[in-house]
């Protein structure tokens, strides 16, 4: 069993220590470091090569959103970022995901939810709670006035089925739910998702959802 290496970045010592105790109690997760702010997180990621960074949003010197952007932006970056915050606000969901975060979790999540989130993100899946997905959709509706042409052109590389799968990813459906909706085997859906990410040059499902809204493939109506 592969151990998931985690770095915790938060300016509050009690939060860092609390999460460390909770995660180290899991047999497949190890906290390899703690960072006090975004700059410290950048340094420790370079030194420790964690699989997942639990990133607070509001920190001194360098905040979590900009730190996320710097960690996930370079070509070949493999670290996954799970944003943690006490602020259940649209702007943070939107900015964190656009910056490259693979998921978003509130700090009042249970130990079980926290461990599950780490495993999901480490596996390359998106972590978007349904209530946050709805507000994310509403936020895209507010800030996106028109599709970005260069991005929209790239949708043409997808087959009709891949476009359909992408639209369901953007609505927050899991592979299993997509398989049920389209009457396909789950492994077939997984293959479609892999091809979508490859064709569009995207890192994970979360970025695929962001792409779908920014290109206008999905129109955020009804929320």
């Amino acid at each position: 069993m592969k151990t998931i290496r985690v770095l915790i970045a938060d300016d509050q010592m009690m939060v860092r220590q609390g999460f460390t105790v909770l995660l180290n109690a899991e047999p497949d997760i190890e906290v390899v470091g703690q960072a006090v702010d975004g700059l410290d997180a950048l340094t420790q990621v370079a030194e420790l090569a964690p699989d997942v960074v639990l990133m607070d949003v509001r920190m001194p010197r360098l905040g979590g959103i900009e730190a996320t952007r710097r960690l996930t932006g370079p070509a070949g970056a493999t670290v996954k970022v799970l944003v943690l915050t006490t602020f259940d606000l649209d702007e943070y969901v939107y900015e964190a995901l656009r910056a490259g975060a693979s998921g978003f979790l509130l700090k009042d999540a249970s130990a079980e939810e926290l461990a599950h989130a780490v495993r999901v993100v480490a596996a390359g899946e998106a972590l978007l709670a349904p209530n946050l997905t709805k507000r994310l959709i509403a936020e895209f509706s507010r800030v996106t006035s028109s599709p970005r042409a260069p991005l929209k052109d790239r949708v043409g590389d997808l087959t009709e089925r891949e476009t359909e799968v992408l639209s369901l990813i953007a609505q927050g459906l899991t592979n299993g739910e997509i398989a049920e909706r389209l009457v396909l085997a789950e492994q077939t859906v997984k293959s479609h998702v892999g091809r979508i990410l490859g064709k569009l040059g995207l890192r994970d499902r979360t970025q695929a959802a962001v792409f779908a809204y920014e290109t206008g493939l999905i129109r955020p109506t009804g929320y």
Side-chain angles (χ1 to χ4, degrees), residues 12-184:
Q12 297 182 37
M13 182 176 65
M14 290 184 64
V15 172
R16 296 194 306 273
Q17 292 182 342
F19 284 150
T20 296
V21 170
L22 292 176
L23 291 176
N24 278 341
E26 300 293 326
D28 59 334
I29 300 175
E30 177 188 5
V31 176
V32 296
Q34 298 182 21
V36 299
D37 57 36
L39 289 177
D40 191 17
L42 296 180
T43 299
Q44 293 203 42
V45 166
E47 295 174 350
L48 301 172
D51 301 302
V52 176
V53 177
L54 298 186
M55 185 79 76
D56 187 24
V57 169
R58 292 187 173 183
M59 294 184 289
R61 295 205 301 167
L62 186 69
I65 291 175
E66 179 58 28
T68 297
R69 187 174 290 112
R70 296 188 192 183
L71 286 175
T72 62
T78 58
V79 66
K80 307 292 185 182
V81 175
L82 177 61
V83 170
L84 292 164
T85 184
T86 54
F87 303 98
D88 186 7
L89 300 175
D90 299 342
E91 63 180 295
Y92 294 116
V93 180
Y94 176 74
E95 290 300 329
L97 297 180
R98 285 207 66 192
S102 294
F104 188 99
L105 194 68
L106 298 180
K107 286 185 179 179
D108 62 1
S110 67
E112 183 179 357
E113 289 170 335
L114 179 63
H116 172 71
V118 168
R119 294 185 183 105
V120 167
V121 170
E125 299 288 337
L127 187 79
L128 293 174
N131 62 324
L132 295 179
T133 302
K134 289 185 177 183
R135 282 199 302 281
L136 175 63
I137 292 170
E139 182 68 7
F140 273 113
S141 180
R142 183 181 70 81
V143 303
T144 306
S145 58
S146 60
R148 299 181 181 183
L151 292 179
K152 191 173 184 180
D153 290 342
R154 287 161 59 190
V155 178
D157 295 334
L158 303 180
T159 65
E160 183 176 347
R161 176 64 85 186
E162 288 166 353
T163 302
E164 192 173 13
V165 170
L166 176 57
S167 71
L168 295 175
I169 290 174
Q171 293 171 47
L173 274 65
T174 65
N175 284 354
E177 291 167 340
I178 294 173
E180 184 175 350
R181 177 78 64 88
L182 300 180
V183 195
L184 297 171

Side-chain angles (χ1 to χ4, degrees), residues 187-210:
Q187 184 59 43
T188 301
V189 173
K190 186 175 181 180
S191 296
H192 281 310
V193 173
R195 285 195 293 271
I196 290 167
L197 297 180
K199 286 183 177 182
L200 300 178
L202 302 172
R203 186 175 57 257
D204 55 32
R205 297 169 69 95
T206 308
Q207 297 308 299
V210 171

